[in-house]
């Protein structure tokens, strides 16, 4: 009887660890997406500061890439 009682809490502990790891991985992925977006937007400013049309296109592309990245993070 003792071993059965010990298995249930260990199973719950293992499940909690899996859930926590998945949540951390999703947050890490989202942080990576945000960092990539910030870098892309900085690059847009550097490369197209004097070209408003291309700056706008670059920023829109960065936003689309960010949205796709966030969708990928969801799985």
């Amino acid at each position: 009887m003792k071993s059965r009682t010990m298995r249930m809490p260990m199973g719950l502990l293992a499940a909690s660890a899996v859930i926590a790891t998945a949540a951390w991985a999703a947050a890490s992925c989202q942080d990576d997406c945000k960092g990539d977006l910030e870098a892309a937007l900085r690059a847009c400013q550097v490369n197209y500061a004097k070209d408003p049309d291309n700056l706008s296109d670059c920023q829109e592309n960065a936003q689309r890439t960010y949205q796709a990245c966030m969708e990928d993070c969801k799985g």
Side-chain angles (χ1 to χ4, degrees), residues 50-75:
K50 296 181 180 180
D51 186 353
D53 290 335
N54 283 328
L55 175 60
S56 180
D57 288 345
C58 183
Q59 291 170 333
E60 288 172 8
N61 286 336
Q63 288 291 338
R64 280 193 293 274
T65 301
Y66 171 74
Q67 291 298 327
C69 184
M70 293 298 282
E71 287 298 317
D72 289 345
C73 288
K74 292 178 183 178

Side-chain angles (χ1 to χ4, degrees), residues 14-33:
S16 295
V18 168
I19 291 169
T21 301
W24 174 82
S28 177
C29 181
Q30 293 169 353
D31 288 343
D32 289 346
C33 293

Side-chain angles (χ1 to χ4, degrees), residues 35-45 47 58-59 61-63:
D36 291 347
L37 172 63
E38 290 169 354
L41 291 174
R42 280 192 302 274
C44 291
Q45 287 289 4
N47 294 328
C58 183
Q59 291 170 333
N61 286 336
Q63 288 291 338

